Each structure stands twice: as C-alpha cells, then as structure tokens.
C-alpha cells in the first residue's frame, strides 16, 4: 500500500496543480480512485485557489457492493436500493451508512432498516 500511496501522491499533485493553473475557480472536482479520500486530499492540497468545498470523493465500488448486498438480502434488484452512503476510504475503517437508505419492495418504498429488520446484519 505504501508504494501505491506514494505513486498516487505524484499523480494527484500533478492533477491538482493543473486544476489550480487552468480550471475555473468554480470547477467541481470528483475523485474516484482509491483511496479516494486520500487522493482527493492531495488533489485539493495542490489546488489552493479552488475552494475546498468544490472537491468530492466517491468510493463507488464500495457503495455498489453495499447496495448489492442489501438488494440480495431482500430479493430485489439493485435499482430498488437508494441513498446508501460510504464514509471513509476503501479500507477496514470505512463505514457503510444506511441510515437514510431506502428500498422498494413489492412497489412499496421503506427505510432499509425497517425492511431488513436485523440490526446485527446491518452493523
């Protein structure tokens, strides 16, 4: 992992510097490469003229995994599960958050917590 982080610092430093030099200061930046939050931090650090709030990071792979596990548990398509959030990097410290997640089962939308009815599974 250390070698990957070192390589990513170079990549996202260059991206941040390029954004800082040529992008509009209103640009919205979405970083998707894991570890997304670390990469996003590096990109933002090297683009000081762009507001911090214009940077966002996505851990889409992990979000898709969480959605598919919920969908499989409930026997619905992935498209029936919405509003799942992943906090943290792609690592053992990440936290899948379903507090605001919804699922539609048999045409009826409901909170994921209510549909699964198993706190230990969700934790």
């Amino acid at each position: 992992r250390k070698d990957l982080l070192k390589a990513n610092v170079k990549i996202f430093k260059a991206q941040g510097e390029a954004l800082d030099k040529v992008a509009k200061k209103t640009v919205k930046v979405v970083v998707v490469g894991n570890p997304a939050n670390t990469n996003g931090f590096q990109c933002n650090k090297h683009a000081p003229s762009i507001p911090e709030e214009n940077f966002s990071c996505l851990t889409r792979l992990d979000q898709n995994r969480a959605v598919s596990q919920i969908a499989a548990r409930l026997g619905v398509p992935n498209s029936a599960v919405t509003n799942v959030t992943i906090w943290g990097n792609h690592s053992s410290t990440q936290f899948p958050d379903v507090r605001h997640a919804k699922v539609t089962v048999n045409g009826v939308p409901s909170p994921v917590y209510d549909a699964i009815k198993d706190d230990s599974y969700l934790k």
Side-chain angles (χ1 to χ4, degrees):
R1 296 288 310 185
K2 205 176 212 181
D3 57 329
L4 174 64
L5 289 173
K6 190 175 180 179
N8 282 352
V9 167
K10 288 180 185 176
I11 293 166
F12 287 92
K13 177 183 179 192
Q15 295 300 313
E17 289 171 345
L19 287 165
D20 199 53
K21 184 177 178 180
V22 299
K24 285 185 177 181
K25 302 316 171 204
T26 57
V27 67
K28 304 297 186 217
V29 180
V30 179
V31 176
V32 295
N34 285 321
N37 291 334
T38 303
N39 293 341
F41 170 77
Q42 287 299 323
C43 191
N44 174 241
K45 177 180 170 183
H46 295 286
S49 68
I50 298 171
E52 186 175 275
E53 61 270 14
N54 290 18
F55 287 81
S56 182
C57 303
L58 299 178
T59 53
R60 190 62 194 202
L61 171 67
D62 301 308
Q63 183 180 10
N64 287 347
R65 285 177 177 161
V67 166
S68 67
Q69 288 176 1
I70 292 165
R73 176 85 174 208
L74 296 170
V76 299
N78 289 0
S79 60
V81 180
T82 61
N83 299 338
V84 174
T85 303
I86 302 294
W87 299 103
N89 276 323
H90 178 76
S91 70
S92 61
T93 61
Q94 77 176 214
F95 176 75
D97 184 353
V98 297
R99 288 177 293 174
H100 302 288
K102 304 279 186 212
V103 62
T104 300
V105 180
N106 297 323
V108 179
S110 66
V112 165
Y113 265 106
D114 294 348
I116 289 186
K117 300 177 187 157
D118 185 349
D119 283 345
S120 63
Y121 175 78
L122 292 169
K123 291 179 182 177

